[in-house]
């Protein structure tokens, strides 16, 4: 099971788009807060989709296998409702930067 998970993470890692240059006007900086307190930070193109954020968070060895990304303020779960119409980071309001929690999908969202 761990070997399969490692292989899936590596496949996602290879499929990620290149990170935009620092200072690019067409990018956003996203801070991911993992459940164990660790943080990941990366720049993404504002035209990247939420799926790219999920793929990036999934690639981390410390990340959960099933999770939801949650914005801190205002608190909002960033779920992908349809694979045919995934919002871009700009459409999701994650420009020019965002701080997201990586939460267990089974955690109540009270």
């Amino acid at each position: 099971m761990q070997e399969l998970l490692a292989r899936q993470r590596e496949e996602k890692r290879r499929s990620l788009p290149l990170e935009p240059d620092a200072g690019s006007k067409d990018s956003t900086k996203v801070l991911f807060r993992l459940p164990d307190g660790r943080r990941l930070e990366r720049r993404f193109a504002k035209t990247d989709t939420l799926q790219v954020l999920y793929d990036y968070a999934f690639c981390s060895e410390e990340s959960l296998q099933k999770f939801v990304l949650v914005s801190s303020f205002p608190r909002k779960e960033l779920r992908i409702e349809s694979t045919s119409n995934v919002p871009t980071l700009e459409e999701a309001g994650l420009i020019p930067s965002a701080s997201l929690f990586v939460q267990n999908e089974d955690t109540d969202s009270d």
Side-chain angles (χ1 to χ4, degrees), residues 22-53:
S24 170
K25 293 178 183 177
D26 294 325
S27 69
T28 185
K29 185 162 61 169
V30 180
L31 174 69
F32 298 85
R33 296 172 190 250
L34 301 175
D36 66 359
R38 294 185 215 193
R39 296 175 181 202
L40 304 172
E41 191 173 321
R42 187 182 190 273
R43 288 180 308 281
F44 297 90
K46 65 182 183 181
T47 56
D48 285 339
T49 66
L50 284 180
Q51 185 62 57
V52 173
L53 295 187

Side-chain angles (χ1 to χ4, degrees), residues 36-94:
D36 66 359
R38 294 185 215 193
R39 296 175 181 202
L40 304 172
E41 191 173 321
R42 187 182 190 273
R43 288 180 308 281
F44 297 90
K46 65 182 183 181
T47 56
D48 285 339
T49 66
L50 284 180
Q51 185 62 57
V52 173
L53 295 187
Y54 272 88
D55 290 348
Y56 177 76
F58 177 76
C59 289
S60 169
E61 298 297 322
E62 297 82 18
S63 186
L64 303 166
Q65 289 181 42
K66 292 188 174 191
F67 60 90
V68 63
L69 296 175
V70 180
S71 64
S72 55
F73 187 80
R75 189 183 190 299
K76 177 181 175 186
E77 289 186 357
L78 301 172
R79 294 189 180 268
I80 298 172
E81 303 298 332
S82 165
T83 56
S84 64
N85 190 24
V86 181
T88 65
L89 304 186
E90 187 170 34
E91 292 168 343
L94 303 177

Side-chain angles (χ1 to χ4, degrees), residues 3-40:
E3 189 175 306
L4 174 62
L5 181 60
R7 192 175 13 211
Q8 290 172 333
R9 284 184 166 147
E10 182 57 32
E11 287 173 13
K12 293 284 186 191
R13 191 175 291 115
R14 279 185 271 153
S15 72
L16 289 171
L18 294 175
E19 183 173 9
D21 293 331
S24 170
K25 293 178 183 177
D26 294 325
S27 69
T28 185
K29 185 162 61 169
V30 180
L31 174 69
F32 298 85
R33 296 172 190 250
L34 301 175
D36 66 359
R38 294 185 215 193
R39 296 175 181 202
L40 304 172

